[in-house]
Amino acid sequence: MKSIERRFKKIASKKGNEFLGDFIILGRAVEAQGFSRDRVARAFNKLVPKDDYDPKDKKELLAHLFGLNG
């Protein structure tokens, strides 16, 4: 079974990615992977710090991740 968190950590640890934000890394982790919307939303809540985004933008950010997930 694929793990979003495992993919997230692998991408984050690659050389050259240390300056990317957590939301960008999460986007790369879910891109074209076919995870359920629930799993993507839970990963977002767990992996992206709340102070990295405005709470009123959360719905739009999740919609973007759902689109990337395919």
Side-chain angles (χ1 to χ4, degrees):
M1 180 183 246
K2 298 178 274 186
S3 167
I4 296 174
E5 188 172 359
R6 183 178 34 219
R7 291 177 55 82
F8 178 91
K9 288 179 180 178
K10 185 176 180 180
I11 293 167
S13 69
K14 284 187 179 178
K15 184 176 173 108
N17 290 347
E18 60 269 7
F19 300 111
L20 296 178
D22 292 331
F23 181 75
I24 302 297
I25 294 171
L26 181 58
R28 288 184 178 181
V30 301
E31 190 171 22
Q33 294 300 307
F35 292 113
S36 71
R37 292 172 68 95
D38 182 58
R39 286 187 66 196
V40 173
R42 282 187 279 141
F44 176 82
N45 289 330
K46 183 175 183 180
L47 299 171
V48 180
K50 293 190 186 327
D51 60 343
D52 279 5
Y53 61 92
D54 191 334
K56 61 185 172 188
D57 295 332
K58 183 176 180 178
K59 187 175 183 179
E60 292 175 26
L61 294 171
L62 283 171
H64 180 71
L65 289 174
F66 298 152
L68 289 174
N69 187 37

